[in-house]
Amino acid sequence: MKTPQVTGQCAEVLTLIRQHQPVLSFVLTADHAIPEAAARVHDLRSMGFNIVTRIAGKVIFRGCTRRNAAFYSMGSPEWPYPGFLDGEEGGGNAE
């Protein structure tokens, strides 16, 4: 199976996660004008990308305390196959 072609905001989010991992969700929305970053991460996961989310109870962003902030990074392998995160079949593991 081949890695899917990613375009638009999904491509931008994927690039930013790869470059700055872990990247804070507020950085995606405020600094890069991606208003629904979590939705784009969801879209990437549905394509099979292994994006790891870590929730921090408290972070300081632009001098303000923010609660329950998400940090995104790439898992390993980066793109196992669609359904990998859900435990669905299709990864080439024959029984």
Side-chain angles (χ1 to χ4, degrees):
M1 223 181 265
K2 206 172 158 185
T3 305
Q5 181 179 4
V6 182
T7 59
Q9 282 188 339
C10 285
E12 188 175 357
V13 168
L14 184 60
T15 299
L16 290 166
I17 292 172
R18 285 174 171 158
Q19 289 176 349
H20 304 289
Q21 61 184 317
V23 65
L24 180 61
S25 60
F26 295 118
V27 170
L28 297 174
T29 56
D31 295 347
H32 297 282
I34 300 168
E36 296 185 19
R40 301 298 72 82
V41 169
H42 174 78
D43 294 342
L44 290 165
R45 284 188 181 125
S46 70
M47 291 179 211
F49 288 95
N50 187 4
I51 298 175
V52 177
T53 301
R54 181 179 60 86
I55 303 297
K58 181 171 87 170
V59 297
I60 305 297
F61 180 72
R62 294 186 179 172
C64 296
T65 300
R66 308 290 181 172
R67 302 204 179 277
N68 299 322
F71 283 92
Y72 301 114
S73 59
M74 297 305 299
S76 181
E78 187 175 287
W79 188 81
Y81 57 87
F84 172 80
L85 299 174
D86 300 325
E88 295 176 12
E89 293 293 322
N93 293 339
E95 292 186 27

